Amino acid sequence: MDADSLLLSLELASGSGQGLSPDRRASLLTSLMLVKRDYRFARVLFWGRILGLVADYYIAQGLSEDQLAPRKTLYSLNCTEWSLLPPATEEMAMQISVVSGRFMGDPSHEYEHTELQKVNEGEKVFDEEVVVQIKEETRLVSIIDQIDKAVAIIPRGALFKNPFGVTHVNRTFEGLPLSEVRKLSSYFHFREAVDLKNKTLLEKSDLEPSLDFLDSLEYDIPRGSWSIQMERGNALVVLRSLLWPGLTFYHAPRTKNYGYIYVGTGEKNMDLPFML
């Protein structure tokens, strides 16, 4: 959700229980304005909150003029002081794949994992147990990246791509019509397209290049991983991810008000394919 309209966005998302206390709201309003100024971001998004056993991580992201350029991610434990996180890598994802359970809420906390490594001693080869330590900050970076790639979404038309390939906020976007809000094809993943590149020219023939340049939710796997509900007398559409429980997207049809927020434990629902 955009930090410039934080109070309205939190109100729209409150139906999912994604609320914040008044003092947290006040701290966020002030501190995110300072983050935007100090880091010279074009936009700042309040991404959400990852719940820990000791403390919670409040997450914000900074965007440049090109909306699909790599985002800068920051975290805070008190909604006042923000720390910049390093970019996510494939190596990080491999490291944290052996970690499960809740976050602690301490970035310096280290998880311990025992793995077998082959050791050569002369002509003999034997397995030796090695304790590998993984920092919680590394896990935080990778989980945020996974959630972004899987379930961060925007409505169709909210962004447009200019002839030079740069993606901007569409100032003429006036919201989705009521006839379109219940369709998964009206929502796109907020990341570089992956599936679209595999489509044939015939399949792309009906697409508008300046608007339909992202992957639609319509073809997400597993099918049925999104819940769509109309609330407040059809004045608000809410999408909830069943794959990453805690991710809520909201949009008021025929208005510019939309956004998403994640409030959860940072754990993926691996059982979803067996539940559908």
Side-chain angles (χ1 to χ4, degrees):
M1 57 176 62
D2 202 310
D4 290 342
S5 56
L6 185 66
L7 295 182
L8 173 62
S9 299
L10 287 171
E11 173 63 27
L12 292 175
S14 62
S16 300
Q18 323 290 35
L20 291 173
S21 63
D23 59 324
R24 291 293 191 202
R25 291 186 185 207
S27 299
L28 277 175
L29 271 174
T30 307
S31 63
L32 290 181
M33 286 175 59
L34 296 175
V35 165
K36 184 177 180 180
R37 184 199 68 185
D38 295 345
Y39 287 91
R40 298 182 180 180
F41 293 137
R43 287 173 70 204
V44 172
L45 305 179
F46 176 56
W47 187 90
R49 187 164 99 233
I50 291 183
L51 309 175
L53 296 173
V54 176
D56 298 340
Y57 293 105
Y58 294 86
I59 311 297
Q61 289 185 327
L63 284 70
S64 61
E65 288 294 338
D66 185 349
Q67 298 296 298
L68 291 185
R71 300 166 212 163
K72 304 287 187 184
T73 303
L74 305 95
Y75 76 90
S76 173
L77 297 175
N78 55 13
C79 295
T80 304
E81 299 167 341
W82 294 87
S83 302
L84 191 64
L85 289 168
T89 63
E90 290 294 332
E91 184 183 356
M92 286 181 178
M94 289 291 292
Q95 284 181 341
I96 70 142
S97 62
V98 297
V99 180
S100 60
R102 293 281 300 274
F103 278 83
M104 289 299 295
D106 176 8
S108 61
H109 175 75
E110 292 187 337
Y111 301 95
E112 291 189 349
H113 170 66
T114 304
E115 61 181 36
L116 293 175
Q117 292 185 357
K118 292 191 179 297
V119 179
N120 294 323
E121 194 172 289
E123 295 180 355
K124 295 181 180 179
V125 179
F126 58 92
D127 294 329
E128 183 178 43
E129 286 190 351
V130 178
V131 177
V132 179
Q133 293 184 324
I134 303 162
K135 288 188 69 173
E136 180 155 283
E137 186 180 83
T138 302
R139 186 186 181 198
L140 183 66
V141 170
S142 189
I143 289 295
I144 292 171
D145 182 60
Q146 289 179 43
I147 293 173
D148 272 344
K149 288 177 178 176
V151 291
I153 59 175
I154 57 169
R156 181 183 183 273
L159 302 179
F160 78 97
K161 181 178 281 190
N162 67 17
F164 302 104
V166 180
T167 304
H168 294 287
V169 174
N170 187 359
R171 305 293 178 191
T172 64
F173 177 66
E174 294 294 339
L176 294 172
L178 276 172
S179 59
E180 299 292 321
V181 294
R182 293 177 184 269
K183 301 177 182 177
L184 284 177
S185 57
S186 299
Y187 305 95
F188 293 151
H189 285 282
F190 190 18
R191 53 161 168 75
E192 288 285 353
V194 177
D195 300 331
L196 191 65
K197 298 173 183 176
N198 300 324
K199 287 191 173 184
T200 64
L201 290 175
L202 185 62
E203 290 174 314
K204 293 180 182 179
S205 60
D206 294 332
L207 302 181
E208 172 60 49
S210 62
L211 297 177
D212 301 314
F213 55 91
L214 298 171
D215 291 330
S216 165
L217 268 61
E218 188 178 9
Y219 304 107
D220 275 14
I221 298 173
R223 295 289 176 90
S225 61
W226 289 98
S227 156
I228 302 182
Q229 293 175 314
M230 299 300 297
E231 298 183 359
R232 304 187 186 186
N234 287 350
L236 186 72
V237 60
V238 177
L239 276 71
R240 295 180 178 88
S241 173
L242 306 181
L243 186 63
W244 286 95
L247 190 288
T248 301
F249 170 87
Y250 57 89
H251 174 47
R254 294 178 295 192
T255 75
K256 296 182 177 183
N257 300 322
Y258 71 89
Y260 62 87
I261 183 172
Y262 178 84
V263 179
T265 59
E267 295 173 288
K268 188 176 182 179
N269 182 9
M270 304 300 289
D271 296 328
L272 181 62
F274 306 101
M275 297 166 65
L276 296 174

